[in-house]
Amino acid sequence: MTGVVVFHHVLGLTDGVRSFAARLTAAGHEVHTPDLFEGATFASIDEGLAHAQTIGFEVVVERGRLAAQSLPSDVVHLGFSMGVMPAQLLAQTRPGALGAVLCHSSVPPSELGEAWPESVPVQVHGMDADPFFVDGGDVDAAREIVASAPDAELFLYPGSAHLFADDSTPDFDADAAALLTERVLTLLARVG
């Protein structure tokens, strides 16, 4: 059993994020899903982004950091889109992290103060024509992580959907989500 902290995207802690976490739990892992929006959920990315901007992205990241403080350090940090910010920060800076899974987003490691830690395996998942992931520079950050980390993988899926792993959104892609889940489970089994 591997501990996993799943950080949600800008739509909030949706039923789709919960069902993804439930699949990991069903596979025998201990999964935590902190609610960075304190119960608020949104119907569109624009609405969610507006909420995140109102409270401040630094507050969102701090909520993630504080939620992780009460958990063991030897966990895998997984983030969806906006949730990548606290997931990546914790994976890069919290001693004992077992790994990171960055879905639909990534940040250059230097923006978090240090290079990617050699002992932390990482997976980055995104669609090859997702405008947020590709045009926003996230895929370039992902390639930077993969080039600098000894145990790193970038998985690109065909399509343009952003939140393709969340079965409660219109972006959901069942085939891509199933493959993403399989790859995450493989990582969890390897590091656990």
Side-chain angles (χ1 to χ4, degrees), residues 84-110:
V84 162
M85 294 187 318
Q88 186 172 337
L89 174 71
L90 290 162
Q92 278 192 239
T93 62
R94 190 172 189 213
L98 292 180
V101 178
L102 313 176
C103 302
H104 324 306
S105 182
S106 59
V107 178
S110 59

Side-chain angles (χ1 to χ4, degrees), residues 146-182:
V146 169
S148 67
D151 189 354
E153 298 173 289
L154 170 59
F155 297 108
L156 293 174
Y157 303 79
S160 60
H162 185 57
L163 302 176
F164 68 87
D166 183 326
D167 63 13
S168 68
T169 71
D171 280 356
F172 181 63
D173 181 310
D175 292 337
L179 186 53
L180 181 150
T181 303
E182 177 185 319

